[in-house]
């Protein structure tokens, strides 16, 4: 009996595969392949887990040695294409590098559930051959459309023949059209690389040639396209995309922000004649499904999306572009905490295709990679055409104070009025949402804080609520002080964009003012409408938070006023200088992008600060050199590696104890340093107390294995969570 079981299982062993589960416990498990099924690594399969049916991906041959009767059979294989070896390798790499659960990473690659279903045939119509006695012009057009394209879905007939659906249905009722099912959706017309090619300037021709060649060579390697704002970087990297289209490959372009997609797609369409495939969290289920399927077919295509597009199941990836590579949005701060720019570089390596990083203000990491020869730099030092870079000047707020109750200094006010008189547009930048960042009691000094976070509540006048920007908590603004009960004593402190708009409306009432923040622009459509209003000159003064700094091109915008240029420099964050420099040069770079020259005015209390000096002198590279030198001296990235650990719990004591235990049991290895625990800058978030630890190691160091064994040795209560952030971007 025992022998028989063993031999049966042995035979089965050839048909045992290991499958990565997309749901917790999110790791590899062995499953038996039923006789009638044939599976290959990468295939998407259904497996039994308890009494559920869950998705997994075949990762390789079964790992379990020897007979076991516990192995359950797979339930079935999905009809879609699977995940390529290159993508599976990427998933393994991400899980390992960021210490994430492999199943969670896999989930990002399977995030279009409906794409995994059998494709339902579409109901279409076909010409039956018979002709009605009475042929109207509409009916004639229907027959003409069908004679040109074969079976067609109703929507397409209606559009192409310019008829109402009733005309088609009537023809069906009379038997002149018959229903016919269509298996595949009609292939989208491919982008045309020669649709409207630009005349590149001599400055642009050199990098464009290098990029075209890189795509044609089909080799991995990273290029940095480093060009000032308005240099035509997009036009230049479009040439790389054209080369990928000519080679019938797939190209992926990552952009940092959903709000930018529509503008990007519009430019793509002008250049290549069709829309690209889009991917981000806002697209509808149908687009999601078709984009996923297109990527997983080996058909060529150009795909644009936010960071999650990196995990699409491409089969023929020939090019990856990361636009605005320095942008913090590429860092995902929840779930799998990865940096999409860095993962893009790895995907390019595994897929053997070039990766192009694009920016006017590359990150220090990227500058360093250029310095040591890992990346090749291509420069565009001048703006395209007659446009020149804006003049940047500082207003020393200690000498040129705004009058009481105002935030705009007299000099900026004057420049604003001049700009309006000249018929041009102004952008006022203030990186603070809402009306006022703080509300306090004028009699006792009480400050209104969030009950579950260590943060002040921000007043929003549009919604008449006080809001916590960390947890979303909202409450009504009290009329008397919650502490001393003084009546009408609560005052708003400091400006947010809403308050700035109020100031402009009061002092320059003739100006047409509009806000652009994540509160006012919540969808791609709203962003598109606002861009159109700017282009149609229906707006004189645009007031915005960092949303306005990214990529927009408004030809009549000539003045940029930065209300508080010092805002990003406080807090002692590792990246404060770098980030301020990037933000302020991006926002200044919105001015004077065509014939009309631009001007940027920074209101600052620190005009001698290296960031301000670099902006005023237009010497970015000096700043980068000095900042890199300072990082080297301090032993900070990109010269070392950091890992942040956040220990959180609703019980402060528990979190602190676990944090201390982590330090006590930390590896004692040369090169491994640990700092903390210290209360996190946001020491209370959503009701959880938070402590931070910081690990620092040299760049070449077996970091992940060490972290894994250290954290694996320690047990802690379920009431405490420990989050690991490899290469942290923020330290909040
Ligand atoms: P960047 O991405 O470097 O900020 P863009 O690619 O947006 O710059 O180019 C700035 C402006 O110059 C855009 O309006 C763009 O269409 C135009 N432009 C750049 N290069 C060319 C070119 N070779 N021919 C025509 N227009 C160009
Ligand atoms: Zn809160």
């Amino acid at each position: 009996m025992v022998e028989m079981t063993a031999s049966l299982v042995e035979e089965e062993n050839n048909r045992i595969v290991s499958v990565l589960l997309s749901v917790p416990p999110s790791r590899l498990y062995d499953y038996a392949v039923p006789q009638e099924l044939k599976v290959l690594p990468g295939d998407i399969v259904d497996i039994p887990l308890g009494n559920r049916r869950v998705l997994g991906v075949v990762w390789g041959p079964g790992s379990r040695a020897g007979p076991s009767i516990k192995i359950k059979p797979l339930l079935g294989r999905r009809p879609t294409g699977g995940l390529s070896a290159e993508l599976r390798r990427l998933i393994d790499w991400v899980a390992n590098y960021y210490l994430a659960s492999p199943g969670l990473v896999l989930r990002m690659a399977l995030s279009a559930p409906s794409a995994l279903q059998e494709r339902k045939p579409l109901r279409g119509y076909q010409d039956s051959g018979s002709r009605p006695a009475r042929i109207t012009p509409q009916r004639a057009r229907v027959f003409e459309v069908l004679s040109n394209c074969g079976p067609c879905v109703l929507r397409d007939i209606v559009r192409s023949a310019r008829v109402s659906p009733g005309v088609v249905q009537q023809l069906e009722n009379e038997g002149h059209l018959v229903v016919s099912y269509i298996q595949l959706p009609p292939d989208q017309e491919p982008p045309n690389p020669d649709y409207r090619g630009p005349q590149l300037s001599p400055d642009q021709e050199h990098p464009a040639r290098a990029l075209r060649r890189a795509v044609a060579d089909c080799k991995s390697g990273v290029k940095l396209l480093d060009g000032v704002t308005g240099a035509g970087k997009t036009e230049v990297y479009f040439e790389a995309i054209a080369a990928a289209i000519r080679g019938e490959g797939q190209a992926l372009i990552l952009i940092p922000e959903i709000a930018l997609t529509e503008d990007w797609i519009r430019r793509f369409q002008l250049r290549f004649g069709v829309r690209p495939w889009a991917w981000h969290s806002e697209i509808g289920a149908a687009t999601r499904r078709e984009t996923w399927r297109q990527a997983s077919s080996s058909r060529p295509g150009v795909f644009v999306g936010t960071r999650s597009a990196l995990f699409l199941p491409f089969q023929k990836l020939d090019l990856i572009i990361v636009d605005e590579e320095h942008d913090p949005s590429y860092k995902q701060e929840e779930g799998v905490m990865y940096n999409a720019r860095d993962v893009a570089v790895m995907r390019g390596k595994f897929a053997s295709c070039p990766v192009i990083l694009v920016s006017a203000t590359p990150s220090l990491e990227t500058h360093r990679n250029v310095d040591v020869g890992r990346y090749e730099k291509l420069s565009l030092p001048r703006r395209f055409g007659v446009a020149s870079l804006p003049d940047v000047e500082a207003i020393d707020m200690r000498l040129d104070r705004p009058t009481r109750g105002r935030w705009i200094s007299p000099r900026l006010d004057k420049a604003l009025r001049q700009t309006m008189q000249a018929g041009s547009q102004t952008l006022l930048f203030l990186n603070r949402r809402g009306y006022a960042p703080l509300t306090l009691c004028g009699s006792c000094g009480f400050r209104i804080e969030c009950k579950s976070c260590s943060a002040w509540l921000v007043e929003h006048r549009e919604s008449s609520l006080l809001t916590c920007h960390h947890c979303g908590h909202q409450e009504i603004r009290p009329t008397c002080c919650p502490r001393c009960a003084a009546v009408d004593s609560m005052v708003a402190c400091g400006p947010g964009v809403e308050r700035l708009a109020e100031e402009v409306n009061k002092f320059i009432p003739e100006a047409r003012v509009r806000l652009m923040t994540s509160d006012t622009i919540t969808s791609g459509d709203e962003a598109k409408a606002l861009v159109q209003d700017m282009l149609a000159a229906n707006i004189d003064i645009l007031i915005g938070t960092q949303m306005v700094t990214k990529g927009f091109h408004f030809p009549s915008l000539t003045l940029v006023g930065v209300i508080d240029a010092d805002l990003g420099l406080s807090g002692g964050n590792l990246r404060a200088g770098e980030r301020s420099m990037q933000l302020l040069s991006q926002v200044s770079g919105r001015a004077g992008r065509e014939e009309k020259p631009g001007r940027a005015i920074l209101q600052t209390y620190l005009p001698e600060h290296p960031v301000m000096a670099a902006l005023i002198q237009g010497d970015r590279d000096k700043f980068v050199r000095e900042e890199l030198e300072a990082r080297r001296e301090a032993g900070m990235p990109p010269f070392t590696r950091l890992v942040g650990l956040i220990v959180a719990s609703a019980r402060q004591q528990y979190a602190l104890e676990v944090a201390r235990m982590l330090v006590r049991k930390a590896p004692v290895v040369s090169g491994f340093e640990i700092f903390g625990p210290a209360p996190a800058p946001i020491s209370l978030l959503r009701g959880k107390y938070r402590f931070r630890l910081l690990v620092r190691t040299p760049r070449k160091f077996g970091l992940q294995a060490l972290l894994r064994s250290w954290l694996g040795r320690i047990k802690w209560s379920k009431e405490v969570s420990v989050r690991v952030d490899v290469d942290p971007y923020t330290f909040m």
Side-chain angles (χ1 to χ4, degrees):
M1 188 62 189
V2 171
E3 254 169 38
M4 208 176 92
T5 314
S7 71
L8 262 180
V9 171
E10 202 164 294
E11 204 192 319
E12 284 267 284
N13 252 345
N14 302 325
R15 310 256 315 152
I16 291 175
V17 289
S18 79
V19 174
L20 180 57
L21 305 197
S22 66
V23 297
S26 298
R27 52 188 184 84
L28 289 171
Y29 274 101
D30 281 356
Y31 284 92
V33 183
Q35 280 303 318
E36 67 282 5
L37 215 58
K38 189 170 153 18
V39 298
L40 293 170
D43 280 348
I44 301 167
V45 290
D46 286 288
I47 45 188
L49 189 72
N51 45 18
R52 282 186 307 160
R53 187 184 176 100
V54 303
L55 275 184
V57 169
V58 177
W59 225 246
S63 56
R64 221 175 274 191
S68 165
I69 43 168
K70 280 210 198 121
I71 296 180
K72 291 184 186 164
L74 296 176
L75 300 177
R77 185 175 69 86
R78 293 297 174 112
T80 38
L83 307 191
S84 64
E86 163 257 310
L87 179 53
R88 278 177 280 135
R89 202 172 154 200
L90 187 80
I91 291 170
D92 280 336
W93 185 86
V94 169
N96 177 57
Y97 185 85
Y98 292 106
L99 274 85
S101 131
L104 264 188
V105 185
L106 174 65
R107 278 238 283 276
M108 299 195 283
L110 298 180
S111 54
S114 66
L116 306 174
Q117 317 274 325
E118 192 86 60
R119 194 186 273 285
K120 282 205 201 78
L122 295 172
R123 189 173 190 273
Y125 291 96
Q126 212 174 353
D127 192 340
S128 73
S130 83
R131 283 289 174 276
R134 197 174 66 89
I135 292 215
T136 61
Q138 285 97 328
R139 289 181 161 197
R141 286 203 299 272
V142 171
F143 288 122
E144 193 191 322
V145 165
L146 288 177
S147 73
N148 289 336
C149 72
C152 222
V153 296
L154 180 63
R155 200 189 44 203
D156 290 345
I157 302 176
V158 165
R159 200 185 49 217
S160 304
R162 288 168 283 119
V163 298
S164 72
V167 173
V168 179
Q169 260 130 32
Q170 190 62 33
L171 284 170
E172 184 201 345
N173 294 345
E174 292 172 14
H176 307 301
L177 296 183
V178 288
V179 170
S180 152
Y181 283 90
I182 308 166
Q183 273 307 326
L184 278 175
D187 236 352
Q188 193 210 41
E189 199 172 324
N192 176 357
D194 303 311
Y195 184 74
R196 197 172 291 155
Q199 190 68 42
L200 294 181
S201 71
D203 271 354
Q204 295 172 335
E205 192 48 57
H206 165 73
R209 206 175 312 126
L211 296 183
R212 280 188 218 111
R213 202 173 329 116
V215 175
D217 284 350
C218 269
K219 278 207 301 264
S220 63
V222 183
K223 303 241 185 310
L224 167 66
L225 182 58
D226 176 7
V228 298
T229 53
K233 296 185 290 296
T234 315
E235 301 297 336
V236 169
Y237 76 61
F238 274 171
E239 292 305 293
I241 298 175
I245 296 169
R246 289 197 181 93
E248 309 215 320
Q250 297 177 322
L252 167 66
I253 297 86
L254 293 181
I255 55 176
E257 196 66 53
I258 296 177
L260 288 172
T261 14
E262 273 309 316
D263 197 48
W264 195 93
I265 288 175
R266 184 184 57 80
R267 286 189 70 173
F268 182 89
Q269 213 167 353
L270 287 174
R271 169 69 179 80
F272 295 105
V274 299
R275 286 173 73 86
W277 298 92
W279 182 270
H280 53 70
S281 58
E282 251 181 39
I283 55 171
T287 311
R288 211 174 175 73
R289 182 181 63 227
E290 292 312 319
T291 301
W292 196 94
R293 281 186 171 156
Q294 179 75 14
S296 98
S297 74
S298 339
R299 279 174 294 181
V302 177
F303 300 77
V304 63
T306 48
R307 57 181 184 241
S308 57
L310 254 184
F311 294 94
L312 280 169
F314 301 110
Q315 298 286 349
K316 231 176 149 281
L317 195 54
D318 282 353
L319 171 66
I320 304 176
I321 295 171
V322 185
D323 202 355
E324 312 286 3
E325 69 91 28
H326 63 276
D327 199 292
S329 312
Y330 284 124
K331 178 73 197 305
Q332 175 149 303
E333 298 286 2
E334 57 212 21
V336 182
M337 297 174 79
Y338 67 98
N339 184 320
R341 191 247 344 263
D342 299 338
V343 176
V345 168
M346 289 318 289
R347 183 142 200 194
K349 189 170 165 186
F350 297 152
S352 300
C353 78
V355 176
I356 305 172
L357 307 180
V358 183
S359 177
T361 51
S363 61
L364 288 187
E365 278 79 3
T366 297
H367 277 298
R368 174 77 188 146
N369 279 321
V370 170
D371 288 347
V372 298
R374 268 195 291 271
Y375 298 175
E376 183 191 347
K377 178 160 100 172
L378 303 164
S379 301
L380 285 168
R382 275 179 292 271
R383 281 198 160 173
F384 174 74
V386 295
S388 56
L389 282 170
D391 279 328
V392 181
E393 59 200 271
I395 291 182
D396 185 339
M397 296 290 273
R398 294 165 305 189
L399 308 174
D400 214 339
R401 277 180 189 283
T403 51
R404 228 184 120 69
R406 293 199 62 180
W407 316 100
I408 298 173
S409 66
R411 247 173 79 199
L412 179 55
D413 183 281
K414 191 168 152 218
L416 255 170
R417 291 170 199 272
Q418 283 169 347
T419 307
M420 267 186 69
Q421 264 149 25
S424 300
Q425 293 169 314
T426 297
L427 168 63
L428 288 181
F429 173 68
L430 174 62
N431 210 4
R432 262 195 188 137
R433 292 159 51 203
Y435 184 82
L438 168 66
T439 305
L440 61 70
C441 169
S443 340
C444 76
F446 176 76
R447 302 166 167 208
I448 302 185
E449 283 194 14
C450 177
K451 285 176 187 63
S452 0
C453 306
S454 50
W456 298 329
L457 293 183
V458 177
E459 179 177 357
H460 285 250
R461 287 253 159 122
E462 303 251 306
S463 59
S464 340
L465 290 169
L466 299 177
T467 302
C468 172
H469 284 179
H470 297 289
C471 72
H473 164 79
Q474 294 187 317
E475 60 186 62
I476 293 168
R477 189 178 191 270
T479 49
C480 31
C481 174
R483 188 165 70 187
C484 74
V487 179
D488 286 335
S489 68
M490 303 310 292
V491 284
C493 282
V497 281
E498 289 179 7
R499 196 170 201 175
L500 196 58
E502 183 184 84
E503 177 182 344
V504 174
N505 282 330
K506 183 163 165 201
F507 292 96
I508 317 180
E510 65 280 18
R512 292 164 303 167
V513 180
R514 195 76 73 77
L515 283 181
M516 184 176 198
T517 77
S518 54
D519 300 303
T520 61
I521 304 293
T522 53
S523 72
D525 282 345
E526 280 170 345
K528 194 168 155 186
L530 187 128
V531 167
Q532 269 156 6
D533 273 346
M534 272 301 276
L535 296 177
N538 294 332
I539 300 173
D540 298 311
I541 301 176
L542 183 65
I543 298 180
T545 55
Q546 60 180 337
M547 191 183 237
V548 299
T549 63
K550 303 186 180 180
F552 293 106
H553 182 82
F554 301 125
S556 298
L557 202 164
T558 59
L559 174 67
V560 168
V562 177
I563 299 301
D564 184 352
D566 312 333
L567 195 56
L569 290 172
S570 55
N573 185 324
L574 168 71
R575 287 182 221 272
E578 175 188 3
R579 184 67 200 124
S580 284
M581 174 75 189
Q582 289 162 343
L583 201 59
L584 297 177
S585 35
Q586 294 287 345
V587 69
S588 310
R590 297 310 111 206
R593 292 171 67 90
E594 290 194 2
E595 306 85 56
K596 299 185 191 171
R599 179 178 178 200
I601 297 180
L602 314 174
Q603 298 194 145
T604 173
Y605 287 91
L606 309 163
E608 326 66 37
H609 192 284
V611 168
M612 306 307 156
L615 288 162
I616 295 162
Q617 290 155 16
D619 196 347
R620 183 201 77 184
D621 289 342
K622 175 161 170 275
F623 172 82
V624 169
R625 275 195 310 276
E626 289 172 358
E627 189 72 10
L628 275 173
E629 209 36 56
R631 297 263 187 101
R632 186 204 298 275
E633 272 168 26
M636 282 294 169
F639 298 93
T640 54
R641 215 174 261 298
L642 296 179
V643 179
L645 285 98
I646 293 211
V647 185
S649 173
R651 304 202 195 195
Q652 190 169 17
Q653 195 53 34
Y654 281 22
L656 185 58
E657 275 163 20
V658 171
R660 286 189 177 138
M661 180 168 63
L662 283 165
V663 175
R664 264 198 320 276
K665 302 205 172 163
V668 185
V669 178
S670 137
F672 182 99
E673 293 174 276
I674 183 160
F675 306 94
I682 301 172
S683 57
L684 179 66
L685 181 66
R686 296 187 174 91
K688 300 254 166 75
Y689 295 89
R690 305 162 80 237
F691 291 90
R692 282 199 70 105
L693 300 172
L694 196 61
V695 167
R696 176 167 71 176
T697 69
R699 286 207 72 81
K700 286 206 163 51
F701 193 83
L703 177 63
Q704 278 72 14
L706 199 64
L707 287 176
R708 233 177 265 283
S709 78
W710 169 35
L711 299 174
R713 277 199 309 272
I714 301 172
K715 295 274 165 288
W716 53 80
S717 125
K718 278 212 165 60
E719 287 179 70
V720 179
S721 71
V722 178
R723 276 201 333 173
V724 182
D725 187 2
V726 179
D727 302 335
Y729 193 87
T730 63
F731 297 84
M732 299 312 276

